[in-house]
Amino acid sequence: MSTLGSFIWSIADQLRGPYRPNQYGNVILPFTILRRLDCILEPDRETVRDLAAAYENPNRLRIEVKKATDRPFYNTSKYSFANLLKDADGLEDNLVDYIDRFSADVDVFEYFDFKKEIIALEKAGLLREIVKSFGAVDLHPNVVSNADMGDAFEYIIRKFNEAANETSGDHYTPRDAIRLLVDLLFAEKDADLTEAGIVRTLYDPTAGTGGMLALAEEHLLAQNPDARLSLYGQEYNPQSYAICKSDLLAKGHDASNIAFGNTLTSDAFKGRQFDFCMSNPPYGVDWKQYAKAVTKERDEAGPYGRFAPGLPATSDGQMLFLLHLAHKMRAPEDGGGRVGIVMNGSPLFNGAAESGPSNIRKWLLENDLVEAIVALPTNMFFNTGIATYIWILDNTKHLDRKGLVQLIDGTSFWTKLRKNLGSKGRELGDDDRAKVLRLYADFTDADPELSKVLRNDEFGYWTVIVERPLLDDDGKPVVDRKGKPKPDSKKRDTENVPFTYSGSTAGAAAKTEVIQAYFDIEVKPHVPDAWIDWAKVKTGYEIPFARHFYNYVPPRPLAEIDADLEKQVAKILDLLHEVEQ
């Protein structure tokens, strides 16, 4: 639990009465950001004020401030937390002046409607106490590290969502899951990342508060302190966007690389590709309200558009983000790109053959983009205990991995938390992550109980319609005008025939031979009058993760069960005997 976050959230106690618990975040979050930026600006405040007096042009002022402070943002107000309380009567106006005089790139307070909250606090007689409380907390990065600040923000947001009884499909990704995702994302490129002066780009289309971007940067800098990772992100939740942007501002990043808006309907980085992409999109959230725009883009963009391979059911938009990220990977001829995305289990198998989801899997596998899928332990997230998986995509796979997909069962690698955090009762410790990474690195030599390496074509299958003749009252087949037997729809059956049936390794190319072999062996002996409707054969792809790791556990011997029952019966009889006495 974040101690700092808990302390900051405790300030919310002062809001009781005029504010309902689900409104606390509207005050706590922007004040926390403001105090964080205030602490960062404090050492150079007089320098910036002098520069503001000398340079009226904002562009020139920005350049001069950057030269003097090495920061891309500034504030020219004569107010700060250090002196706001000295003018009790003017506190409301002075605080608004302070917010208004941030440089243009600090637009984060607009997304909280912060000025409206300031007016409301003043009317409620709470503004002075809130300003006083935040002014007493030192949030300078030298005191509170970026990682601790990120933990605090996510703690506050989680408490805010709990108070608001948040039930959306948005899942704030716990740090331990992000660390494993980052480890896997960089695993194949770790050697490259140690090059002197290396510059790489990282993109998160569902940036949230920026936790994934922050941890990825930490990982890269741990490998190579001279490296530079340019961070890009897009976020549609106003508050999360504001936190993400202010976090990057505090670290000295180009905050213009963080865009506000919906990635699915308005890609802020259209035409750009990245070295690394990562995301934890919302699970099970419908995209009906965006369906018209997404379908229009799919139809207009043609075969090379991001949604060209297929569209999932409107009840769940996860696979739209999967397609979006696959589209954002740097082209192989430019060095290639890698993707890490966390999703629930449905993208592995949902949808019948030639449905949107199946066609998306087909496109990913036939283009050899899926490198590995890792099953995470359950109860890993704060507001859901469902099974989740990390997908790793790579468009320039290592030669040993070409044409192959590695499935890793990481469900047994977890450490129990001393106290549950919402639905989160487990975490991935350093040792747990190391075990998963070892399985990934060992690849074909990894423990077969926990890791499987399969060819891309092993996930393919054909859905075959098997017909039987319609019989008349005399038991004779009814035929059509061409003399062919009419099918009886009541006897119609569907068979899924794997590409690999009877040991075939030819994939989709062996369609006719494999289906006929399956029919001759599995169907014909039982229903000799049946036939295949070849016109209705469909091609599908699914990744039956659990089936590959299923271990049959035989039931206990009957004698053992009988013995247990006899023991229980004897206990019950003894109890009854005691009652009778």
Side-chain angles (χ1 to χ4, degrees):
M1 184 175 71
S2 167
T3 305
L4 174 64
S6 182
F7 170 71
I8 292 174
W9 185 256
S10 71
I11 298 174
D13 286 340
Q14 299 171 51
L15 300 173
R16 290 181 189 278
Y19 278 79
R20 298 172 65 83
N22 62 355
Q23 297 173 313
Y24 293 170
N26 299 337
V27 174
I28 299 300
L29 287 169
F31 262 108
T32 304
I33 292 173
L34 181 62
R35 180 56 178 153
R36 175 76 162 176
L37 297 181
D38 180 82
C39 291
I40 292 170
L41 292 169
E42 188 59 32
D44 303 308
R45 205 174 291 279
E46 289 305 321
T47 301
V48 172
R49 285 170 184 159
D50 292 343
L51 289 170
Y55 301 101
E56 291 186 4
N57 184 297
N59 293 329
R60 180 64 188 275
L61 178 59
R62 179 185 172 88
I63 293 169
E64 295 300 328
V65 169
K66 175 73 175 172
K67 282 184 193 171
T69 67
D70 199 30
R71 275 196 309 273
F73 70 100
Y74 57 86
N75 185 295
T76 60
S77 173
K78 62 181 180 181
Y79 300 107
S80 70
F81 273 85
N83 61 10
L84 275 169
L85 294 175
K86 291 179 179 175
D87 180 6
D89 294 336
L91 178 57
E92 177 187 335
D93 291 338
N94 297 341
L95 183 54
V96 170
D97 178 85
Y98 185 27
I99 293 166
D100 281 342
R101 293 185 182 277
F102 273 101
S103 48
D105 48 357
V106 185
D107 62 350
V108 297
F109 300 108
E110 297 172 16
Y111 293 88
F112 289 102
D113 210 358
F114 193 32
K115 291 179 185 175
K116 180 182 169 185
E117 294 300 337
I118 290 171
I119 294 170
L121 285 168
E122 178 67 4
K123 283 184 178 175
L126 295 169
L127 185 59
R128 180 178 178 80
E129 288 307 311
I130 294 298
V131 170
K132 184 178 177 182
S133 296
F134 274 98
V137 183
D138 189 349
L139 298 181
H140 191 280
N142 290 342
V143 178
V144 180
S145 70
N146 290 322
D148 288 345
M149 199 68 238
D151 285 343
F153 273 130
E154 293 191 2
Y155 174 83
I156 295 168
I157 288 174
R158 185 161 55 81
K159 295 290 287 182
F160 179 37
N161 287 340
E162 287 172 2
N165 194 25
E166 181 64 59
T167 56
S168 81
D170 292 337
H171 305 285
Y172 293 97
T173 320
R175 296 301 173 102
D176 50 323
I178 298 177
R179 287 191 177 93
L180 177 60
L181 174 60
V182 170
D183 287 343
L184 290 166
L185 186 64
F186 289 154
E188 273 290 320
K189 304 287 184 184
D190 267 356
D192 299 339
L193 297 177
T194 58
E195 292 173 14
I198 188 172
V199 178
R200 290 289 183 268
T201 54
L202 174 70
Y203 167 66
D204 183 350
T206 53
T209 59
M212 282 191 170
L213 295 172
L215 279 183
E217 183 182 36
E218 280 180 21
H219 179 99
L220 180 64
L221 293 178
Q223 299 286 315
N224 180 1
D226 297 326
R228 191 162 69 84
L229 194 61
S230 294
L231 306 179
Y232 295 80
Q234 186 165 355
E235 172 58 38
Y236 74 154
N237 179 285
Q239 295 181 342
S240 296
Y241 160 78
I243 292 170
C244 179
K245 189 167 183 177
S246 59
D247 183 48
L248 292 191
L249 277 168
K251 294 174 187 169
H253 281 285
D254 181 356
S256 64
N257 291 340
I258 303 300
F260 177 73
N262 189 323
T263 299
L264 297 181
T265 56
S266 180
D267 177 13
F269 302 98
K270 194 172 183 178
R272 290 208 62 155
Q273 294 180 317
F274 304 92
D275 298 298
F276 302 102
C277 304
M278 58 201 302
S279 175
N280 177 28
Y283 313 142
V285 174
D286 73 50
W287 52 283
K288 287 175 188 164
Q289 63 272 44
Y290 317 129
K292 189 175 180 182
V294 170
T295 304
K296 183 172 182 283
E297 180 185 327
R298 190 271 312 268
D299 295 342
E300 292 179 351
Y304 301 107
R306 55 178 174 164
F307 302 130
L311 297 179
T314 54
S315 58
D316 191 352
Q318 290 177 84
M319 295 186 88
L320 290 177
F321 288 98
L322 179 64
L323 282 176
H324 174 73
L325 289 186
H327 189 75
K328 286 295 186 186
M329 286 191 286
R330 191 176 295 288
E333 57 270 27
D334 295 329
R338 279 171 71 82
V339 164
I341 181 170
V342 185
M343 296 187 288
N344 68 16
S346 66
L348 294 168
F349 53 77
N350 63 346
E354 297 189 7
S355 65
S358 177
N359 284 343
I360 293 171
R361 288 188 292 270
K362 176 184 177 184
W363 180 77
L364 291 170
L365 289 163
E366 290 188 348
N367 285 282
D368 198 18
L369 296 178
V370 183
E371 183 189 89
I373 300 174
V374 179
L376 297 176
T378 53
N379 301 316
M380 279 286 294
F381 287 74
F382 299 120
N383 59 347
T384 178
I386 61 173
T388 50
Y389 300 81
I390 294 176
W391 290 50
I392 300 295
L393 310 185
D394 193 330
N395 60 6
T396 51
K397 284 185 181 179
H398 190 279
L399 282 177
D400 294 342
R401 290 181 178 267
K402 284 196 177 297
L404 302 170
V405 177
Q406 184 179 15
L407 305 181
I408 297 174
D409 180 6
T411 57
S412 61
F413 301 132
W414 51 270
T415 305
K416 185 174 173 56
L417 290 175
R418 283 189 298 174
K419 182 182 178 185
N420 282 13
L421 299 173
S423 298
K424 183 174 176 61
R426 298 169 173 177
E427 67 175 352
L428 287 163
D430 291 344
D431 289 345
D432 301 315
R433 291 205 318 279
K435 288 172 184 171
V436 174
L437 289 171
R438 173 49 55 196
L439 290 168
Y440 172 83
D442 287 347
F443 193 42
T444 52
D445 295 327
D447 181 349
E449 294 292 316
L450 297 169
S451 172
K452 312 282 184 187
V453 177
L454 297 107
R455 300 187 312 276
N456 291 335
D457 65 271
E458 290 186 75
F459 302 105
Y461 66 94
W462 295 283
T463 293
V464 178
I465 302 297
V466 176
E467 302 283 16
R468 294 183 65 193
L470 179 67
L471 304 178
D472 62 18
D473 293 340
D474 297 328
K476 295 179 179 177
V478 179
V479 296
D480 61 17
R481 285 182 299 176
K482 295 181 180 178
K484 293 183 178 178
K486 285 187 175 181
D488 185 342
S489 60
K490 294 179 181 176
K491 296 177 181 175
R492 184 172 292 149
D493 195 12
T494 301
E495 298 283 339
N496 284 339
V497 182
F499 284 7
T500 54
Y501 181 75
S502 196
S504 174
T505 57
K511 174 181 173 180
T512 306
E513 296 86 344
V514 172
I515 292 176
Q516 190 61 56
Y518 179 92
F519 182 75
D520 292 343
I521 297 171
E522 308 289 346
V523 180
K524 196 76 174 174
H526 308 289
V527 279
D529 57 354
W531 71 89
I532 297 169
D533 186 343
W534 287 97
K536 293 180 180 175
V537 173
K538 293 183 178 179
T539 302
Y541 278 82
E542 66 174 2
I543 303 172
F545 197 101
R547 194 189 308 163
H548 285 291
F549 292 95
Y550 173 73
N551 283 319
Y552 174 73
V553 178
R556 293 190 300 157
L558 280 175
E560 190 177 315
I561 296 172
D562 285 343
D564 283 349
L565 285 173
E566 286 175 8
K567 284 181 184 175
Q568 294 305 317
V569 169
K571 279 186 181 178
I572 293 169
L573 290 174
D574 287 344
L575 289 170
L576 288 173
H577 184 64
E578 288 177 12
V579 171
E580 289 172 355
Q581 286 181 336

